[in-house]
Amino acid sequence: MNINATLWIQWIPFAILAWVTAQFIWPVIAKALDERAAKIADGLAAADRAKSELASANKAVETQLAQTRTESTKLLGDAEKRAAAIVEEAKKRAEDEAAKIIAQAKADADQQVVRAREALREQVAVLAVKGAEAILHKEVNAGVHADLLARLKQEL
């Protein structure tokens, strides 16, 4: 290899190119690379933050679900208790109503028995008067003997 003037002449544009690159191009490229590295670092940090936020959100959701399950179980238990209480109350009301109906029916039956006895007493009194009339063969005045008939009714 022969070092001559062409090599020196080619060396000058190369040195100028290297100096221009070092002064103007390389700082722009380094700045772009630094910005990109910063963006990547920010993205990774954001991803880590999002991952931790997701984990905490999942914990909060699980806690809320557990609380909701507990509350719904409690509400269902309360509803079942209330339903049982309503059924018991309805049974008690039905039993009370049945007792009232039975008491009313007994009272009505007692009244009918009293009325039947009164009617029977009246009929017996009339028959007794007719029997006495037949025995005596004369007419008995019911108005005169009303006191006697009243006592007879009481005895019967």
Side-chain angles (χ1 to χ4, degrees):
M1 175 173 268
N2 196 2
I3 299 179
N4 57 19
T6 57
L7 183 63
W8 291 108
I9 292 175
Q10 287 177 353
W11 181 259
I12 292 172
F14 178 73
I16 292 171
L17 179 65
W19 180 78
V20 168
T21 301
Q23 291 297 320
F24 300 108
I25 297 173
W26 188 255
V28 174
I29 292 174
K31 183 178 174 186
L33 287 175
D34 288 342
E35 287 176 2
R36 181 155 174 91
K39 282 184 183 179
I40 290 172
D42 289 344
L44 290 174
D48 287 341
R49 282 193 308 271
K51 191 175 183 181
S52 65
E53 288 175 5
L54 178 64
S56 65
N58 281 338
K59 283 183 181 180
V61 166
E62 287 298 323
T63 304
Q64 187 68 29
L65 282 175
Q67 183 180 6
T68 303
R69 284 187 196 113
T70 304
E71 289 176 4
S72 64
T73 303
K74 181 183 173 194
L75 288 175
L76 285 174
D78 291 345
E80 288 174 357
K81 287 178 185 176
R82 181 66 181 139
I86 289 171
V87 167
E88 282 299 318
E89 186 178 326
K91 279 183 184 178
K92 185 176 179 184
R93 273 192 266 137
E95 288 172 356
D96 291 345
E97 189 66 28
K100 285 180 186 177
I101 290 171
I102 289 171
Q104 184 64 35
K106 284 182 181 178
D108 289 345
D110 290 342
Q111 285 179 353
Q112 287 179 358
V113 166
V114 168
R115 278 188 243 133
R117 282 185 183 164
E118 288 296 323
L120 186 60
R121 283 182 187 157
E122 291 289 331
Q123 290 175 0
V124 168
V126 169
L127 287 176
V129 169
K130 283 187 181 181
E133 188 176 277
I135 291 173
L136 296 175
H137 292 289
K138 61 179 183 177
E139 187 176 319
V140 175
N141 187 351
V144 173
H145 301 290
D147 191 30
L148 176 66
L149 289 176
R151 276 191 274 143
L152 183 62
K153 275 188 196 179
Q154 291 299 325
E155 288 178 14
L156 292 175

